[in-house]
Amino acid sequence: MSPASTTAGRLPRPEMILPPGWQLFPVTDDNAATARAAFAGAWDSGPRDSIGPFVHELERTLAAALDDARETGAFAAAMPMGIPWQVPVSTSLVLSHVAAPDPELPPGGERVDTDAGPARRGIRDEQHPGDADPESVVLLRSIDYIWRVPGHDAYLVAYASISGLPVAEYAPVTEALTTLMTTMLDALTWPAAGGEA
């Protein structure tokens, strides 16, 4: 799929309910500025000389994640920004518009009813070689939803990834995060007015 052109009109951006500690970030050409703003308050948590390297690493990591999202054509990304997980499994979500001359939803996945209308949903467990390093973070599961953008020749694509250590004991965390992401995406809605890309 190719990114949707907005030259003929602005595309509506969905509204989402985010869990506590999550933030929705715009994906732009200057994601470093977004990352600096996101962690501006962190400078108050300690002496600048000791907290500085930690804050700069947080900024670098967030900017890199948003740059990766930009490379896929995303316009927004949501991720947990609160207290770190107590287990090495986490998730994030990116949102993109892609061109869709076909008025139907694409084939594949299961058809689901969401608050934003019908969607196609796919949930895939990622396979890893039997000798995968259990200390390396890998993609464990991916979740995608595709909706028609009302009144436009475009799809809205939501892609969530769940990454962590490929350890069987953490499987319940992957299941819980899958429930969280599908609940968030099932509840996504279109703006009543405005909210354009």
Side-chain angles (χ1 to χ4, degrees), residues 94-129:
V94 295
L95 299 170
S96 307
H97 287 124
V98 296
D102 187 335
E104 300 299 320
L105 286 170
E110 63 176 321
R111 186 179 173 97
V112 293
D113 291 321
T114 72
D115 290 351
R120 290 282 183 189
R121 178 175 70 194
I123 300 175
R124 289 171 304 284
D125 286 320
E126 305 298 334
Q127 301 300 313
H128 307 102

Side-chain angles (χ1 to χ4, degrees), residues 16 18 22-27 62 65-66 69-70 74-79 92-95 159:
M16 295 180 60
L18 297 176
W22 280 61
Q23 283 186 261
L24 181 66
F25 296 101
V27 173
L62 177 57
L66 296 177
R70 182 188 63 211
F75 62 80
M79 60 194 72
S92 63
L93 168 71
V94 295
L95 299 170
Y159 174 81

Side-chain angles (χ1 to χ4, degrees), residues 81-99:
M81 299 294 289
I83 298 171
W85 291 94
Q86 300 303 304
V87 293
V89 181
S90 191
T91 187
S92 63
L93 168 71
V94 295
L95 299 170
S96 307
H97 287 124
V98 296

Side-chain angles (χ1 to χ4, degrees), residues 23-85:
Q23 283 186 261
L24 181 66
F25 296 101
V27 173
T28 68
D29 290 334
D30 187 7
N31 294 307
T34 300
R36 284 192 300 275
F39 294 109
W43 290 99
D44 300 330
S45 61
R48 291 184 71 85
D49 59 344
S50 60
I51 199 71
F54 177 68
V55 174
H56 287 307
E57 180 59 20
L58 290 173
E59 292 172 351
R60 186 199 64 74
T61 301
L62 177 57
L66 296 177
D67 286 344
D68 288 346
R70 182 188 63 211
E71 292 301 315
T72 68
F75 62 80
M79 60 194 72
M81 299 294 289
I83 298 171
W85 291 94

